[in-house]
Amino acid sequence: MRSWTGIEIEAERERLEREAASILGYMLFEYSRLDMELGMMVVWADDGQQLDKLTTEYNQSNFNKKLRLLEKQAASKYATSLVGLTAHTRWLDEADRVRECRNKLVHGRWGIKPTTQQVVNVVGLPTSPKQEEFPYTIPALQAELDAVRSLRADLMALRKAWPL
């Protein structure tokens, strides 16, 4: 195991924090774009026949509520099309995984472990026995960002192939 000087530890902490902050910032942009695109998809269902009603109802809704609406709309529209329903279900499964990750990243706090090259997301109060730590390397955080970008692209493909 390598010995680190205090100066090296501080420099590495700053570097990791800067890289993590950049990736997390991009993730926030991607999450907000995904949320808006999902919202537009569900309110424009049936060629926007209920656009005003659904816009009013879902304008301030969280991502999960929009996912549940998509699930309901897809189940109704593709009740007789296993392929269409399966395409939506697969996308929804990945969207739920991304949503859970997003919730941890946004609602947790962050720490840096310079000597192990990790940034750590901590969820829960320090006094709670249920506090959890989720360590990430910079490449792992980048992979999460790439997953959100991929999910957005997949949503656009889903909208084209299997519109609501």
Side-chain angles (χ1 to χ4, degrees):
M1 179 131 189
R2 169 178 185 238
S3 290
W4 291 70
T5 67
I7 292 170
E8 290 172 325
I9 289 172
E10 182 56 22
E12 186 60 11
R13 187 199 62 73
E14 288 176 5
R15 183 192 72 77
L16 286 168
E17 186 173 289
R18 191 172 41 256
E19 284 190 43
S22 178
I23 293 169
L24 290 166
Y26 282 119
M27 289 173 94
L28 287 176
F29 277 91
E30 292 298 323
Y31 287 136
S32 65
R33 290 173 182 140
L34 177 62
D35 183 58
M36 185 271 305
E37 290 163 356
L38 173 62
M40 292 304 293
M41 181 177 177
V42 297
V43 300
W44 275 100
D46 295 321
D47 294 320
Q49 291 181 23
Q50 295 183 321
L51 181 63
D52 291 339
K53 176 186 178 288
L54 291 174
T55 297
T56 299
E57 188 174 344
Y58 288 91
N59 184 48
Q60 297 296 320
S61 294
N62 65 30
F63 189 68
N64 189 50
K65 190 170 180 182
K66 291 171 191 159
L67 289 176
R68 301 298 62 94
L69 177 58
L70 171 61
E71 185 174 42
K72 181 180 168 186
Q73 290 172 326
S76 175
K77 181 151 188 172
Y78 296 106
T80 60
S81 172
L82 183 60
V83 177
L85 186 57
T86 299
H88 280 85
T89 300
R90 284 186 182 143
W91 187 88
L92 284 160
D93 288 345
E94 179 59 15
D96 274 324
R97 190 203 69 76
V98 165
R99 178 188 57 79
E100 288 174 8
C101 180
R102 176 235 170 251
N103 288 347
K104 286 187 290 193
L105 298 180
V106 171
H107 296 295
R109 62 188 184 281
W110 290 91
I112 307 292
K113 291 184 176 180
T115 59
T116 59
Q117 303 287 291
Q118 293 177 323
V119 291
V120 181
N121 180 246
V122 183
V123 177
L125 292 172
T127 54
S128 172
K130 294 182 181 182
Q131 175 181 279
E132 292 182 89
E133 290 187 5
F134 301 94
Y136 293 91
T137 61
I138 295 300
L141 272 181
Q142 182 64 50
E144 290 294 342
L145 172 57
D146 294 343
V148 180
R149 287 177 172 157
S150 178
L151 188 64
R152 284 186 60 222
D154 292 347
L155 180 63
M156 294 304 106
L158 184 67
R159 286 177 74 175
K160 278 187 171 184
W162 302 101
L164 295 176

